[in-house]
Amino acid sequence: MRLILRYLILLLPFVAVLRAELPRLETRAGAVRLIVDGQPFIARGGELGNSTGESGYLAQYWDKLEGMHVNFLLVPVYWDMVEPEEGRYDFSDLRKVIEEARARDIRLGLLWFASWKNSMSCYAPAWVKTDVERFPRALDENGIRQEIVSPFYEENWRTDAKAFAALMRELKSFDGQHHTVITVQVENEIGMIPSARDYSEAANRAYTANVPAEVIAMLQNRPELADGRVAVAWREQGSLTTGSWAQVFGANAETEEFFMAYYFAKYVEHVTKAGKDIYPLPMFVNAALIRAGYQPGQYPSAGPLPHLIELWELGAPSIDFFSPDIYFPNFVEWTRAYRRLGNPLFVPEALRTIDASVNGLYAFGEHQAMAFCPFGIESVDGQVERALRDSYDIVRQLTPLLAKTEPSQSRGLLKEAPTNTKPQEIRLGGYVFNASFERSTLPGPADGVIVHDNTGGYGAATYPAGGLMLQLGPDEFLFAGIGVVVTFDDLDPTTQVGILQCEEGRYENGEWQRIRLLNGDQTHQGRHLRLEPGRFTIQRIKLYRY
């Protein structure tokens, strides 16, 4: 008996790992959620700057991040640092980062900076960079090597996949019972620049060979893709079922981008599957978006962009979702584009102007976003930091509601475009809501801008305006945010709508705590709801018809 007990004690840690629920994606309350420890996890996040991922440097920022109500952090893992010599791995610094996050109850997503980071292979180890015969580079149209590992050579993906598998093995061993790390991004902003495609020998062979049969089958068998750019180009060339990429899609830069997207995805699939076979955390890839008017090759082309997602889904089925890095002011447009084909929204990088505070609220309300993460989160300061802190405090309070509210009962409040002056119309619960936005002047200039344009597309030094709304019952709604005025109408134009009661308050441990009643001047004597400029608030309102 004593011998049996001894074996049982030895097995307990392994049983705990087996029983622990891995983070996963699951549809709950009609939306795809990131499930952590059995509960929907809504990430009030941030992504660290590229060179902030080492434990010693990061140490100075943990208190600040906690004070901003951050519960999720995207942290880079550098291939050249964890495998300085081939086959010799060093994850000691990553362990320190995980331990510090765990102690503060902050979850992590890891960014695998390996074959590509913003298109370039700048984080590949020296032993990869310097051996261009074993690890071939992409070539431009003149045959000049680029600082880009070619996706068309097995040795490249095999070596990356081996290192990624080692990383996931380390996570399983070190974090398998705790789940401090809940997701992993494979590579970073993959793409081709300044050429639209790779002209290496293996790439040329693939480009002139027949388009893979699975690509043709996808176009034939998925009618929901009919309005996408890939399907349109295919039809314009006569819906051919065989032929080279140029023959099937046309001899142009757009076709070259299709071609590269498919083969980048195939490469990523090798890497991702190698890691998931060991420790299957949810995994994703991110995309650098397209500046208006730019053509393939002028931006990091062929990444998981909205018009290429079907090729990425086909080539990389082990990837769980595709994510936008949104540095442009048309936030509404880009988030909507990434919901195409049912892809859930997870924003790993966002412009860290003061408008990040309302963009996040919009993403959580309109698209049930799993995460919103301004880039360089440790660098925000002043008004930007305060606005993001107050916005994240609202998300913290509302997380139980957000997790259980159906998408049909949740909306985001944000201008369609920075220059748009028309009120946003929302139809919900039999009512018509018209939201207009008030942007008042800040007491000091906004700071923390990653792209040095202090206007952020809106006008300098102004408070943000936006938020979210939830339907709580047949005639009861919640509004949260800043600088929004909402009026109400009935779907029947002959019926008037009034405010029965409006309250400002907070949620504490999931329970509503009223701060004050707002039926007088604050609602213009029952004419509107107003989330005043300069201050983030939550209001609950009951409407009636007369």
Side-chain angles (χ1 to χ4, degrees):
M1 178 61 72
R2 183 176 298 171
L3 186 61
I4 293 173
L5 287 173
R6 184 183 300 169
Y7 281 122
L8 287 174
I9 291 169
L10 289 172
L11 286 171
L12 278 176
F14 301 99
V15 173
V17 171
L18 291 173
R19 288 181 176 175
E21 287 190 40
L22 273 175
R24 65 188 185 278
L25 298 189
E26 184 179 297
T27 300
R28 290 197 185 181
V32 177
R33 309 287 185 181
L34 181 57
I35 305 299
V36 179
D37 294 339
Q39 299 298 321
F41 183 82
I42 295 175
R44 310 182 300 271
E47 179 169 320
L48 293 178
N50 296 159
S51 301
T52 311
E54 294 180 64
S55 61
Y57 189 80
L58 179 57
Q60 62 189 303
Y61 296 113
W62 285 111
D63 290 344
K64 175 179 181 175
L65 294 168
E66 275 194 303
M68 293 171 64
H69 303 293
V70 167
N71 69 344
F72 176 76
L73 202 59
L74 284 164
V75 178
V77 176
Y78 316 109
W79 184 13
D80 56 347
M81 182 172 163
V82 301
E83 194 182 9
E85 298 175 14
E86 187 170 8
R88 181 175 71 82
Y89 300 104
D90 181 359
F91 296 107
S92 57
D93 196 73
L94 176 60
R95 290 182 184 182
K96 293 176 184 177
V97 173
I98 293 173
E99 286 176 332
E100 187 65 38
R102 185 184 298 158
R104 296 170 182 265
D105 198 26
I106 293 176
R107 305 287 178 155
L108 301 179
L110 300 187
L111 310 172
W112 179 232
F113 284 3
S115 290
W116 301 291
K117 193 276 171 193
N118 294 50
S119 301
M120 302 301 168
S121 301
C122 47
Y123 282 109
W127 52 271
V128 171
K129 287 182 178 180
T130 57
D131 192 345
V132 295
E133 299 303 321
R134 181 182 170 194
F135 304 106
R137 304 291 188 86
L139 306 183
D140 68 11
E141 53 267 43
N142 298 313
I144 305 300
R145 288 192 182 104
Q146 305 297 296
E147 188 71 43
I148 301 172
V149 167
S150 173
F152 294 93
Y153 293 87
E154 179 178 346
E155 187 69 358
N156 289 343
W157 64 253
R158 187 189 63 78
T159 308
D160 188 334
K162 184 179 178 182
F164 187 64
L167 169 64
M168 299 311 294
R169 189 175 296 109
E170 169 70 16
L171 288 181
K172 183 177 181 179
S173 171
F174 187 70
D175 194 47
Q177 296 182 59
H178 302 280
H179 303 146
T180 308
V181 178
I182 59 175
T183 186
V184 179
Q185 177 185 287
V186 185
E187 316 297 345
N188 186 84
E189 292 189 355
I190 297 166
M192 282 297 298
I193 193 169
S195 300
R197 77 167 178 92
D198 180 2
Y199 287 84
S200 66
E201 182 180 347
N204 289 339
R205 285 198 303 270
Y207 190 68
T208 56
N210 284 333
V211 173
E214 66 174 358
V215 176
I216 301 299
M218 175 189 73
L219 294 168
Q220 291 175 319
N221 299 325
R222 293 187 61 187
E224 73 274 17
L225 303 179
D227 63 344
R229 280 303 309 154
V230 180
V232 169
W234 178 58
R235 289 198 304 275
E236 287 175 348
Q237 291 300 116
S239 303
L240 300 178
T241 58
T242 188
S244 69
W245 286 84
Q247 291 169 331
V248 170
F249 295 106
N252 51 50
E254 181 179 58
T255 295
E256 294 177 345
E257 185 176 38
F258 297 164
F259 164 72
M260 291 302 301
Y262 175 75
Y263 282 102
F264 273 136
K266 299 294 280 189
Y267 186 110
V268 166
E269 174 64 14
H270 288 300
V271 177
T272 305
K273 189 174 185 304
K276 275 197 164 184
D277 283 348
I278 293 168
Y279 189 47
L281 291 178
M283 297 187 188
F284 67 100
V285 285
N286 65 328
L289 303 181
I290 308 168
R291 194 175 294 276
Y294 278 35
Q295 300 301 310
Q298 296 177 319
Y299 59 89
S301 308
L305 291 153
H307 67 289
L308 302 170
I309 280 181
E310 54 264 49
L311 289 169
W312 272 87
E313 286 180 330
L314 181 67
S318 295
I319 289 294
D320 295 287
F321 53 93
F322 305 91
S323 296
D325 293 347
I326 307 179
Y327 291 101
F328 301 129
N330 51 334
F331 188 83
V332 170
E333 179 182 356
W334 281 115
T335 54
R336 186 183 296 133
Y338 268 84
R339 295 307 312 276
R340 181 172 173 254
L341 307 180
N343 181 64
L345 185 64
F346 183 111
V347 182
E349 296 184 34
L351 190 67
R352 62 174 185 262
T353 61
I354 200 165
D355 290 284
S357 58
V358 291
N359 289 345
L361 290 177
Y362 172 83
F364 292 126
E366 185 69 19
H367 298 298
Q368 297 72 54
M370 296 186 291
F372 176 77
C373 305
F375 177 76
I377 187 72
E378 77 282 5
S379 300
V380 299
D381 205 350
Q383 295 287 355
V384 176
E385 180 182 352
R386 287 188 281 277
L388 195 59
R389 176 201 64 201
D390 293 345
S391 172
Y392 276 1
D393 185 45
I394 281 179
V395 178
R396 180 191 63 79
Q397 294 178 55
L398 297 183
T399 288
L401 276 176
L402 291 170
K404 70 180 184 180
T405 300
E406 297 276 347
S408 62
Q409 298 175 316
S410 178
R411 294 289 185 275
L413 306 171
L414 197 66
K415 276 190 175 185
E416 180 78 22
T419 57
N420 185 32
T421 58
K422 183 180 179 181
Q424 179 184 1
E425 182 182 282
I426 297 169
R427 299 189 173 212
L428 188 61
Y431 293 98
V432 179
F433 300 88
N434 289 286
S436 56
F437 302 92
E438 297 182 278
R439 300 182 64 90
S440 62
T441 302
L442 281 166
D447 55 9
V449 183
I450 184 172
V451 177
H452 297 290
D453 167 13
N454 285 330
T455 69
Y458 288 98
T462 56
Y463 280 111
L468 60 82
M469 64 176 293
L470 305 175
Q471 183 177 1
L472 304 179
D475 300 294
E476 187 173 4
F477 301 87
L478 177 150
F479 290 82
I482 183 173
V484 183
V485 176
V486 183
T487 58
F488 323 97
D489 293 301
D490 192 81
L491 291 174
D492 179 356
T494 66
T495 301
Q496 302 302 307
V497 176
I499 297 175
L500 198 62
Q501 185 169 295
C502 185
E503 301 177 342
E504 178 185 333
R506 294 179 56 82
Y507 279 90
E508 299 292 348
N509 300 316
E511 296 294 326
W512 176 249
Q513 304 292 326
R514 187 175 78 191
I515 295 173
R516 58 176 179 158
L517 186 65
L518 302 174
N519 279 30
D521 290 347
Q522 283 68 38
T523 59
H524 196 23
Q525 288 72 47
R527 296 182 180 92
H528 65 216
L529 175 143
R530 184 172 185 249
L531 303 172
E532 63 188 78
R535 189 169 71 94
F536 283 85
T537 56
I538 303 173
Q539 295 182 24
R540 286 175 55 152
I541 190 167
K542 292 181 181 179
L543 302 177
Y544 75 105
R545 296 173 171 90
Y546 61 94

